[in-house]
Amino acid sequence: DAKTTQPPSMDCAEGRAANLPCNHSTISGNEYVYWYRQIHSQGPQYIIHGLKNNETNEMASLIITEDRKSSTLILPHATLRDTAVYYCIVRVNNDYKLSFGAGTTVTVRA
Amino acid sequence: ETGVTQSPTHLIKTRGQQVTLRCSSQSGHNTVSWYQQALGQGPQFIFQYYREEENGRGNFPPRFSGLQFPNYSSELNVNALELDDSALYLCASSPGTAFTDTQYFGPGTRLTVL
């Protein structure tokens, strides 16, 4: 499995952009980067995914570097409700499962 | 369109008992995956069902078994419960089994084994 590395925790201020980094230096050409988040004791929530182009939806933006070895999830205007564990996952071809790491615990402070 | 639902929300069992957890897939989804999440850890893949057949399995013993029904709802059965089976059990549905098919999770069932 392509492995990901995320910082264990980060803080951000309410109303500011939150930039969550993820390293995936062993990613292969057709492997996708997925982001999920998990608010305390709830099921993981899908956020966004991408292959090589930058992606944006109503929740976040995903910026993938040109060499695809790292990516950044951007929450444009963080709110207290964005406090959660964020998981960066690389999905490999023919891999039917999601392999969760430890994720990044994001705390949004007022 | 309804999302993924799971029942029950919470469950308390004693060691050695058996338990059945249920999951209803999101409309239009034919694939269900089950995950176990111990406290403080990320979810771990148990198995996946596609069109009523097991499509893949993680590193879990045979006492963890599942079913998928023609309406694509699913059950997770655990026999001979052990204390370490205490966890949040999550199901996720997806429109297919491909790695490009996004999995959408339910709220989970919290199982406590005493």
Side-chain angles (χ1 to χ4, degrees):
Chain A
D1 289 352
K3 302 230 184 304
T4 62
T5 303
Q6 299 178 255
S9 64
M10 61 183 293
D11 287 359
C12 65
E14 188 179 23
R16 305 293 295 270
N19 296 297
L20 283 63
C22 180
N23 286 323
H24 31 78
S25 58
T26 60
I27 196 169
S28 297
N30 66 343
E31 295 169 353
Y32 281 73
V33 179
Y34 276 75
W35 283 83
Y36 283 80
R37 73 179 183 183
Q38 189 171 25
I39 296 168
H40 182 63
S41 293
Q42 298 181 20
Q45 179 186 23
Y46 165 75
I47 302 173
I48 199 167
H49 73 280
L51 181 63
K52 55 184 177 181
N53 297 319
N54 297 339
E55 302 287 345
T56 296
N57 63 19
E58 64 279 4
M59 289 183 67
S61 295
L62 174 60
I63 309 297
I64 302 174
T65 58
E66 191 169 344
D67 63 7
R68 303 188 69 240
K69 293 184 185 300
S70 65
S71 59
T72 299
L73 179 74
I74 301 172
L75 307 177
H77 304 287
T79 71
L80 299 179
R81 287 191 298 271
D82 292 322
T83 292
V85 179
Y86 287 76
Y87 297 99
C88 170
I89 299 168
V90 170
R91 292 200 71 182
V92 304
N93 195 7
N94 295 324
D95 188 2
Y96 39 77
K97 67 183 182 299
L98 293 168
S99 298
F100 289 83
T104 296
T105 299
V106 173
T107 303
V108 180
R109 303 192 185 277
Chain B
E1 178 183 293
T2 56
V4 180
T5 60
Q6 293 186 243
S7 63
T9 306
H10 296 88
L11 202 52
I12 299 175
K13 292 286 189 178
T14 56
R15 195 169 48 183
Q17 285 188 312
Q18 178 265 343
V19 69
T20 297
L21 310 181
R22 294 178 175 83
C23 171
S24 290
S25 298
Q26 186 168 317
S27 176
H29 288 184
N30 58 21
T31 303
V32 173
S33 304
W34 284 90
Y35 294 81
Q36 179 197 65
Q37 186 174 24
L39 202 60
Q41 299 181 20
Q44 299 297 309
F45 175 75
I46 303 175
F47 44 56
Q48 183 181 83
Y49 278 80
Y50 169 66
R51 293 186 175 178
E52 304 177 59
E53 297 286 332
E54 186 178 293
N55 185 55
R57 189 177 184 92
N59 189 25
F60 280 82
R63 61 190 184 84
F64 286 77
S65 63
L67 282 173
Q68 187 181 31
F69 301 99
N71 65 355
Y72 303 129
S73 65
S74 177
E75 287 182 354
L76 164 65
N77 298 289
V78 187
N79 293 322
L81 283 167
E82 301 177 358
L83 297 179
D84 285 348
D85 295 333
S86 294
L88 181 67
Y89 287 86
L90 299 157
C91 78
S93 76
S94 54
T97 62
F99 72 123
T100 52
D101 287 316
T102 300
Q103 295 186 11
Y104 296 91
F105 285 82
T109 293
R110 172 74 61 187
L111 173 65
T112 302
V113 182
L114 302 176

